[in-house]
Amino acid sequence: MDSFEWNKIIGAVLGSLIFIFVIKTVAENVYETEKPEKAGYIVEGVVEEGPGGAVAEKPEEMPDWGTVLPTADVAAGKTISNRCLQCHTLAKGQPNKIGPNIYAVVDEPRGVGRNGFSFSSAMKAKGGTWTYDELFKFLKSPGAYINGTKMSFAGLRSAKDRINIIAFLRANADTPTAIPAPAPKKEEPPAAAPGRARRSPSRSGPS
């Protein structure tokens, strides 16, 4: 094959590449879509970011466990716990998976025990115990509450879902942890006594 034939082949290849590049550029300009101002959905446990970075959330008020646990839906909590089965086992005596077995986890020490499971250094450093409050905060967004945890679960944004699954985790034990007494009701300040109407002095007309 002489040089003339090679030149024709190289020219054809270069022409094709230029043509593809032009078509791609035109298509991007014609069909360019604008990014929506707000996402169509929010993934559970993920903090939405704005122009100034992550939006700080207001501290969440803790439930009154003495009031919410007796009326929580344990069956609904068990259904929600099915999401945990990919990484955890729930029944007594079952082996660990990617995450530890979480039978009787309520009020257990955090980051220790659990049949020799290797916890992250972040979980060990957090310390403390899995109280109702701690589970409630952790299950909302594990990665945000304990930065560096191995747990990749996005979290449960719904407070009701977290209350229900905590009620299930409490019941999932040989001896369920005690439910605290309901918090005393806040006394409302007494209503101010209505002021007495001030009567204007009567004027008697000319006799």
Side-chain angles (χ1 to χ4, degrees):
M1 187 179 292
D2 57 21
S3 60
F4 179 72
E5 292 295 330
W6 278 113
N7 289 338
K8 286 199 301 182
I9 293 172
I10 294 171
V13 171
L14 290 175
S16 299
L17 291 175
I18 294 171
F19 178 75
I20 292 172
F21 176 76
V22 170
I23 293 297
K24 182 176 180 294
T25 304
V26 172
E28 287 178 351
N29 290 331
V30 172
Y31 297 106
E32 183 179 4
T33 57
E34 294 184 2
K35 185 178 179 181
E37 294 182 1
K38 188 173 182 63
Y41 64 91
I42 298 174
V43 179
E44 287 189 358
V46 178
V47 179
E48 184 180 0
E49 294 189 0
V55 178
E57 294 186 9
K58 294 181 180 179
E60 188 173 23
E61 184 177 352
M62 291 296 101
D64 175 10
W65 297 108
T67 300
V68 300
L69 282 178
T71 58
D73 191 338
V74 177
K78 184 176 181 179
T79 299
I80 297 169
S81 73
N82 289 332
R83 307 183 197 180
C84 309
L85 295 178
Q86 184 176 354
C87 299
H88 299 277
T89 52
L90 297 172
K92 183 178 181 179
Q94 288 184 324
N96 299 320
K97 288 187 176 181
I98 299 173
N101 172 275
I102 51 175
Y103 180 80
V105 70
V106 178
D107 263 357
E108 284 291 295
R110 180 165 38 206
V112 297
R114 292 291 147 188
N115 299 323
F117 182 80
S118 178
F119 289 94
S120 65
S121 55
M123 185 68 73
K124 292 177 182 177
K126 186 72 174 178
T129 57
W130 286 120
T131 62
Y132 296 129
D133 281 356
E134 287 297 301
L135 284 167
F136 187 76
K137 290 182 283 190
F138 180 71
L139 289 173
K140 182 177 183 180
S141 181
Y145 188 60
I146 300 181
N147 186 22
T149 179
K150 295 178 183 178
M151 187 165 171
S152 59
F153 179 57
L156 298 169
R157 302 291 295 181
S158 167
K160 183 178 179 180
D161 285 349
R162 279 177 279 151
I163 289 170
N164 287 339
I165 195 171
I166 289 171
F168 165 72
L169 292 174
R170 172 188 173 272
N172 190 42
D174 290 339
T175 305
T177 303
I179 297 176
K185 293 183 179 180
K186 296 179 181 179
E187 296 183 2
E188 296 183 1
R196 297 180 63 182
R198 188 173 181 181
R199 299 177 62 184
S200 57
S202 59
R203 295 183 180 179
S204 52
S207 55

